[in-house]
Amino acid sequence: MPDTVMPDIPRIYTAVSEWLACLVVIVFSVKRFSRVQTAVLYVSSLVVFAVFHIIAGVLPLGFWVPCMIFAVVLMCLFVWLTTKTKIKTACYLGVQAFIVAEFIASVEWWLYYFFATNFPVISSDTANILFAVGVYGILYAVMFALERHFSRKALNSVSTKDLITAVIIVVTAFLISNISFMRWNTPLTGKYALEIFYIRTLVDLCGLLVLYGNRELKIANSAEMELMQIRLLLDRQYEQYCLTQSAMDSVNRRYHDLKHQVAMIREQGSEAAERLVNEIENEIKTYEVVYKTGNDILDTILMSKSIFCVQNGITFTCVADGAALHFISDADICSLFGNALDNAIESFAGKTDGEAKLIKLAVYKNNGLLIIRCENTFRGKLKTFNGELVSTKKDKLNHGFGVKSIKTVAEKYEGTVSYAVEDGTFTLCVVIPIKI
């Protein structure tokens, strides 16, 4: 095999590489169809890729660029057809899969050409296939592990800018890595087979690293923005409950004044006065509940939420040892209980008056652990993504931070958060080691 001759990568190898790359980038995606239908699509797509590349292999060199563009379109279409992803996300994943396929196919053929040139014994067709299976298996296993690491946390909101950036990275890497095949005389053009393979593989690797680096940056920025939103939410909640506590003190004073005034009116004994007294008593009964848990902030939160529950036909019961919260800051107490109770209350949105609306809150110590359990009646199915609860509201940008805020606080104190639905009851449980 002379070094001056540039053997092309077998088209069937390219087809298999592109197919495997698509499978790797969608492995953690929610599938659009059933398992059987998805399997049929997988097999059909492999046949389509193979037929396309075999046809492209016999076309003149002038069709090379259009064929590569069509290959990317096929990969994007494959991703979109098999997963429940938006078109931008599908294109983003398809473009990413293309550069992955190019890199791995290039590495495999480069290594095979090197060894086949120096060790003719492995240049047979059987050895060629076995070599491809081994290299593809190792490299795509690495890519699978990489995708598991990312878990596509930032791909739910792929923007036009993200897609354009990915396309520019991939197009640039592809053109530079394949410029030698166009027989142009440039500073980046190689003259010998191994040199061309080396340039192609190295440039594809650089493109791959830039693309994944950009993805890692997107995830980091997304996480930072989410953390900032949670912090702002915590600050607002604390300010809100400080104002609520002041308002509650004023309401309690007014409540006691009204009780004395009602007693004086009732002493007058007139029928009209009695009716007025009954009306006033019914109106102020909402403010009759007073919590004394041993923690003033918790008392304020429970008071405000219980008033809302009474006004909206929700039965709210609470058994709480507020003194057990002594090692948790006031702001974190606001976040823990404010979000837990808000989520429970919001689960009743849209429910009719005839449906059961019950919330139970328990705060207690057990074997050196602080246990916070919040239960509410629940009819429906939890929506999760990557193990996280997903908000059922349409405006997911400004919602869905309740459980995340609770987890942030729990992790701050080395605690854990769990949730489950059983027998029509949603249970949120926070367990935190008590620090003296």
Side-chain angles (χ1 to χ4, degrees), residues 289-307:
V289 179
V290 177
Y291 291 92
K292 297 294 183 182
T293 65
N295 185 285
D296 292 339
I297 294 293
L298 180 59
D299 293 343
T300 302
I301 296 171
L302 295 177
M303 181 67 179
S304 65
K305 299 306 177 185
S306 65
I307 291 174

Side-chain angles (χ1 to χ4, degrees), residues 37-299:
Q37 292 172 319
T38 300
V40 171
L41 276 174
Y42 285 173
V43 174
S44 302
S45 63
L46 177 58
V47 173
V48 171
F49 283 156
V51 171
F52 164 70
H53 279 285
I54 290 172
I55 295 174
V58 300
L59 294 176
L61 189 61
F63 288 90
W64 177 65
V65 173
C67 285
M68 291 301 99
I69 294 174
F70 189 72
V72 176
V73 173
L74 277 179
M75 297 176 77
C76 294
L77 184 62
F78 174 43
V79 173
W80 181 75
L81 282 176
T82 55
T83 62
K84 291 182 178 180
T85 54
K86 297 180 180 179
I87 188 65
K88 285 182 183 178
T89 304
C91 290
Y92 184 95
L93 291 173
V95 168
Q96 175 184 302
F98 178 74
I99 193 66
V100 169
E102 280 289 305
F103 169 68
I104 292 181
S106 178
V107 169
E108 189 279 329
W109 197 243
W110 171 40
L111 292 175
Y112 173 75
Y113 182 77
F114 172 81
F115 286 109
T117 301
N118 292 278
F119 306 98
V121 69
I122 68 168
S123 62
S124 66
D125 291 341
T126 302
N128 188 342
I129 294 173
L130 292 175
F131 192 88
V133 170
V135 174
Y136 278 15
I138 293 172
L139 293 181
Y140 275 111
V142 172
M143 296 308 302
F144 174 84
L146 190 61
E147 284 297 317
R148 172 175 285 178
H149 163 71
F150 280 110
S151 298
R152 290 195 334 281
K153 293 180 179 178
L155 294 184
N156 291 324
S157 58
V158 172
S159 64
T160 302
K161 182 180 178 181
D162 296 327
L163 180 57
I164 291 175
T165 300
V167 169
I168 291 174
I169 293 171
V170 171
V171 168
T172 302
F174 179 75
L175 290 178
I176 295 176
S177 66
N178 287 273
I179 198 169
S180 295
F181 291 90
M182 301 302 294
R183 305 296 190 267
W184 292 339
N185 185 20
T186 71
L188 299 175
T189 303
K191 295 181 180 180
Y192 303 101
L194 285 178
E195 181 182 297
I196 293 173
F197 281 139
Y198 177 75
I199 293 173
R200 177 177 181 175
T201 304
L202 183 61
V203 174
D204 283 343
L205 175 61
C206 291
L208 196 64
L209 292 175
V210 172
L211 189 62
Y212 273 94
N214 182 66
R215 186 168 164 185
E216 182 71 37
L217 181 62
K218 177 177 171 60
I219 292 175
N221 289 339
S222 178
E224 184 64 26
M225 288 294 295
E226 186 175 288
L227 185 59
M228 288 178 61
Q229 288 178 293
I230 291 175
R231 286 172 178 168
L232 286 173
L233 183 62
L234 293 178
D235 291 341
R236 289 173 185 169
Q237 285 179 327
Y238 183 61
E239 292 174 2
Q240 175 187 345
Y241 286 114
C242 286
L243 293 173
T244 301
Q245 186 171 23
S246 176
M248 286 300 175
D249 290 340
S250 177
V251 168
N252 287 333
R253 288 194 298 270
R254 183 57 179 159
Y255 167 73
H256 288 294
D257 291 342
L258 284 173
K259 284 183 66 175
H260 292 300
Q261 293 172 13
V262 165
M264 293 176 61
I265 295 174
R266 179 168 278 133
E267 288 177 0
Q268 295 179 7
S270 69
E271 186 175 339
E274 184 67 23
R275 285 198 302 271
L276 178 60
V277 166
N278 291 335
E279 290 177 6
I280 294 175
E281 283 184 330
N282 288 332
E283 289 180 5
I284 67 175
K285 191 175 293 184
T286 303
Y287 305 97
E288 194 170 28
V289 179
V290 177
Y291 291 92
K292 297 294 183 182
T293 65
N295 185 285
D296 292 339
I297 294 293
L298 180 59
D299 293 343

Side-chain angles (χ1 to χ4, degrees), residues 13-25:
Y13 285 20
T14 302
V16 171
S17 186
E18 290 179 355
W19 181 73
L20 288 173
C22 288
L23 294 185
V24 165
V25 300

